Amino acid sequence: MINLSSFITFHARRTPDRPALKYRGEEISYADFDARIRQAAGWLAAQGIDAGDVVAVLMKNSAAFLELVFATSHLGAVFLPINFRLSRDEVGYIAGNAGARLLIVDEELTANAAGAKIVVLNEAAQQSITHLEGEATPAPMHVRTPSDLMRLMYTSGTTDRPKGVMLTYDNFYWKSADQTIALGLSAETRLLVVGPLYHVGALDLPGIAVLWHGGFIRIERNFEPETPLAAIAEDKLNAAWFAPVMTTAMLTCPTHDRYDVSSLRWAIGGGEKTPEVRIRAFSKLFRNARYIDAYGLTDTVGGDTFMEAGREIEKIGSTGRAIAHVEIEIPRRGRQDAAAERQWRDLLARTEDHARLLEGSGED
């Protein structure tokens, strides 16, 4: 079985008391997370969701967000995270274009919800979607195959309306395997998730792949400069993904010296050329960690290249080498035909748009 919930169930049986998640001070074991997923899947089924249906969310980071990622897969349905900074018109277009049967939205974001049947989550439900499940019976797993659609993620639409990227289970598991090789993921990986989970960086770089190994994820709802520093110190986190604007905010935070961040071993960056001064400042603050420049696309589940350890300064401006099952070809610009030229320009524009979207990640 390849449903995402299958590996949570595996760890729940083998190490039921091992912590899987932490959100707003609550630590959630693998056994509890497994039970929540099944209950949330039962609630979704009670809303009429079946295999192949699209479930959209307009949510900030929360434990409920990840419960829905796994519960949707458990039912064989398709998960659609929507950027919560988009306008109501943009949200409505994406939900409608994807054919979403349900749009689950945080209470504070309801003004921008449109395009499907809407369910609103209050603060309690954000802590766990099971607060909405009532008498719903935990749902059985609907078995998926590698080529089945797992998730839809809409790109920024620089040339027209946003376009839905279709990610299969094959896409996710192959990329997770590659990141395991490149990053050394294991049950001992303790990941900080502070970037927005609607984005491939927070959800997949390495994101939920850590749970594949039985590791631990701490989820922060919003970003403030001290938030990741305090989280790393409190839970001895050893891995993270930061958008460049986040890294800069932490490095310039006047109170950063108050926190013991010695547990951090690596942090992935990317999205823009990383200057030498930022890498050196990062190494000074996080003295046991390396800054990993990376590059990837929503279309490829993120993280296609990683900088090799020890070459960060030598290769300033590079995003490293391709991972195990990725091949990269750089076209010779002078010989491109018109279609390839348009694709190249669209790719560059989308990369710039993603960086701009993440600039606002500290907003309330």
Side-chain angles (χ1 to χ4, degrees), residues 102-296:
L102 194 64
L103 175 60
I104 302 170
V105 55
D106 284 346
E107 194 169 34
E108 65 200 272
L109 303 173
T110 52
N112 287 347
K117 174 186 173 183
I118 295 169
V119 174
V120 178
L121 302 187
N122 60 19
E123 189 171 332
Q126 293 160 20
Q127 195 74 25
S128 176
I129 194 71
T130 58
H131 287 289
L132 292 180
E133 57 100 7
E135 299 300 319
T137 303
M141 182 184 295
H142 186 106
V143 177
R144 297 283 78 185
T145 66
S147 61
D148 282 330
L149 185 61
M150 178 192 73
R151 192 192 310 157
L152 287 171
M153 299 187 81
Y154 273 69
T155 64
S156 51
T158 54
T159 58
D160 198 356
R161 286 282 203 172
K163 302 171 181 66
V165 174
M166 301 171 69
L167 299 177
T168 66
Y169 286 90
D170 258 341
N171 294 142
F172 170 76
Y173 280 108
W174 276 104
K175 184 53 67 74
S176 295
D178 276 354
Q179 292 184 5
T180 296
I181 297 168
L183 301 171
L185 303 181
S186 73
E188 302 309 313
T189 303
R190 299 176 62 81
L191 179 72
L192 171 65
V193 171
V194 70
L197 280 166
Y198 69 73
H199 190 274
V200 72
L203 194 53
D204 296 300
L205 194 55
I208 59 175
V210 170
L211 300 177
W212 189 31
H213 292 274
F216 172 79
I217 293 179
R218 173 158 170 165
I219 307 164
E220 295 296 333
R221 187 163 180 82
N222 296 302
F223 175 83
E224 296 293 342
E226 287 187 288
T227 299
L229 302 171
I232 292 166
E234 181 179 357
D235 281 318
K236 305 301 179 189
L237 305 178
N238 55 25
W241 172 83
F242 298 126
V245 66
M246 296 177 179
T247 304
T248 299
M250 287 186 294
L251 296 178
T252 57
C253 176
T255 58
H256 63 60
D257 289 336
R258 297 179 184 174
Y259 300 96
D260 178 4
V261 293
S262 59
S263 62
L264 194 71
R265 293 295 177 266
W266 51 260
I268 298 171
E272 66 180 38
K273 181 178 178 180
T274 306
E276 180 177 344
V277 64
R278 184 186 297 159
I279 293 176
R280 292 194 182 280
F282 178 91
S283 299
K284 184 178 178 180
L285 175 58
F286 300 101
R287 59 185 182 277
N288 294 327
R290 68 185 186 99
Y291 183 86
I292 306 175
D293 244 322
Y295 180 78

Side-chain angles (χ1 to χ4, degrees), residues 85 158 349-361:
R85 297 184 181 88
T158 54
R350 285 168 53 195
T351 301
E352 292 168 0
D353 268 12
H354 275 209
R356 284 196 294 271
L357 283 170
L358 289 167
E359 287 291 325
S361 55

Side-chain angles (χ1 to χ4, degrees), residues 88-101:
R88 190 174 188 277
D89 175 67
E90 291 169 316
V91 171
Y93 171 78
I94 290 172
N97 182 256
R101 293 284 307 279

Side-chain angles (χ1 to χ4, degrees), residues 336-357:
Q336 291 177 300
D337 59 24
E341 177 70 20
R342 286 194 299 273
Q343 290 175 348
W344 176 263
R345 291 183 181 276
D346 185 43
L347 173 60
L348 292 179
R350 285 168 53 195
T351 301
E352 292 168 0
D353 268 12
H354 275 209
R356 284 196 294 271
L357 283 170

